[in-house]
Structure formats: structure tokens, C-alpha cells
Amino acid sequence: MVAGSLYGKKYSRIQIVAVILLTFGVITAAWSDSQSKSASKATEGSGKPAFGTGLVVLFVAQVLSAIMGLYTEETYKQYGPHWRENLFYSHLLSLPLFLPFAPSLIRQFRKLANSPPLSLPMAQLPGFGLSGDVGDGLFQLQIPSQLAYLVTNVVTQYACIRGVNLLAAVSSALTVTIVLNIRKLVSLLLSIWLFGNRLAAGTLIGAIIVFGAGGLYSLDSRAKTSRAQKNVGAK
């Protein structure tokens, strides 16, 4: 929102309050989760420097993301919402940036390829009706488990970034940023649940604030849409 204000955009009071609440809620949830994890470690405070560094990196990433979102919004206004083209070129042009890390990526890929196999007992599935060498081959078909997880992660990331670009084509940069922040909080809550971590009271309070701020922002957006439709109908 600060980047948008510097860019010349105007926001309503409800939007400003919603963004402030959302920011406070995200920080509260993340900080509380970090404190609960560091308190459970034998060495107290061992996770604080890493958390501070990560917070700075996330802040810089948020600023750059806001600037890119505003630039994308203006580009769509001028040339049309060609989100598929933006999705393609933004990823294609960023590939050369990974070339300096090619040796490390190759080493990591080899480690993934040497991970324990993930069995695929396809021959036992009903309806295949395969026997002999073909059935035995399918029964013994195995792939590295970490590579399977990597492919699954790539597919889900593609679905996520595709949805983000589609949302950016039909809404403002601020709306996209708010939706992404809510999605990140949902990911945090899911990770706490899936990995059996304790849900701290501060994390729960932060989640309630974030979801409330998202609802407040959506109500203001709906009010603006209804007013715009009334103005169009009056004309």
C-alpha cells in the first residue's frame, strides 16, 4: 500500500485499516510461531538470529513484489490483461539467473535421485489385467521418493502461480498482495498441523486478525463494485 501511495494511488480508510490489521496479524502469527519453536529447543534463543534474517529477507521480497505488482497492473491497463504471456516471459527470462548456481543444483538433484525409492505397485491395481514380464516390471517400477515430491511441488507451484497471474489480470495489485498474504498464513497453519507443532496463542490471534482484515477489505471492495454498477445504471 505504501508503494501504491508513492505511485499515486488512492485508498479508502477501510482499505488502509484492513492492510494495517493484516500486516499486524501476519507479524504476530509469524513471531509467535517462531517464539514457540525456539522455546521448545534445548538451547534457548538459538533460532532468533535466523528468524530475524528471514524476516528482513521477506520484507525486501514484499517490497519488490509490491513494485512488480504495480508495474504489472499498469502494463495490463495499457496493453491488456495478457497474463499467460506475462507468466511465460517472467519465468523464461529468469532462467539465466540460475546459471551461477548450476553446480549446486546438479549436486542437489543427484541427492534427490539417490533418495529411497517410492514403490508404485501398479500391477496390483484392479483393472490392469497385466501378467508375466509386463506385470512384474510394473510391480517393480520404482522412482526416487524425493524426485516424486519435487514433481508434486512443481505441479502445485504451477497451479499457484497460474492462479496469481490470473487474479492479477482481473484485480488490483493490492488485492493480489492481500490474497497472497492470507495464503501464506494458511500455509503456516497447515504446516503447524501437518508436522504436529503446537499452535501458539499468538499465532491463533494473528490468524483471526488476518482473516478479519481480509473480510473487511472484501466488504469495502464489494461496496465499491456496487456503487460503480449503480453509476453505470444511472447513466
Side-chain angles (χ1 to χ4, degrees):
M1 177 170 281
V2 175
S5 299
L6 295 176
Y7 203 74
K9 292 184 175 295
K10 302 295 182 181
Y11 301 103
S12 65
R13 293 181 180 178
I14 296 180
Q15 288 179 326
I16 295 174
V17 172
V19 170
I20 293 175
L21 289 175
L22 187 141
T23 303
F24 177 75
V26 169
I27 294 176
T28 301
W31 180 261
S32 178
D33 181 64
S34 173
Q35 292 298 311
S36 64
K37 289 180 180 178
S38 61
S40 62
K41 295 181 180 179
T43 305
E44 186 176 357
S46 59
K48 291 182 179 179
F51 177 79
T53 303
L55 195 62
V56 172
V57 172
L58 287 176
F59 175 76
V60 174
Q62 282 291 99
V63 173
L64 295 177
S65 177
I67 296 174
M68 186 180 69
L70 291 170
Y71 179 76
T72 302
E73 182 180 351
E74 293 301 320
T75 302
Y76 285 165
K77 286 182 180 179
Q78 184 173 356
Y79 300 103
H82 305 294
W83 63 272
R84 290 184 178 87
E85 185 177 354
N86 178 56
L87 178 64
F88 174 76
Y89 282 109
S90 62
H91 286 77
L92 178 66
L93 297 178
S94 64
L95 288 178
L97 299 177
F98 291 92
L99 290 178
F101 306 99
S104 176
L105 293 175
I106 293 174
R107 288 194 301 269
Q108 294 299 324
F109 183 82
R110 288 175 178 173
K111 290 181 180 179
L112 296 179
N114 293 327
S115 61
L118 183 67
S119 299
L120 299 176
M122 299 176 63
Q124 294 183 347
L125 294 178
F128 268 79
L130 298 176
S131 60
D133 295 337
V134 178
D136 294 338
L138 287 176
F139 180 75
Q140 296 176 359
L141 180 61
Q142 295 177 337
I143 61 174
S145 58
Q146 296 299 323
L147 284 183
Y149 299 148
L150 176 63
V151 172
T152 304
N153 183 56
V154 169
V155 172
T156 55
Q157 288 294 326
Y158 170 73
C160 177
I161 195 63
R162 181 184 174 91
V164 169
N165 279 268
L166 180 59
L167 179 64
V170 297
S171 60
S172 65
L174 180 60
T175 301
V176 175
T177 302
I178 289 178
V179 171
L180 289 179
N181 277 283
I182 294 176
R183 193 267 303 170
K184 292 173 184 176
L185 180 63
V186 172
S187 298
L188 174 63
L189 296 177
L190 285 176
S191 67
I192 292 175
W193 175 62
L194 290 174
F195 295 102
N197 295 319
R198 186 177 64 87
L199 181 61
T203 305
L204 181 60
I205 294 174
I208 294 174
I209 295 175
V210 168
F211 290 129
L216 182 64
Y217 180 84
S218 65
L219 291 176
D220 183 72
S221 299
R222 290 180 181 179
K224 285 186 175 182
T225 303
S226 62
R227 286 196 297 267
Q229 291 177 350
K230 288 181 180 179
N231 292 333
V232 172
K235 292 180 180 179

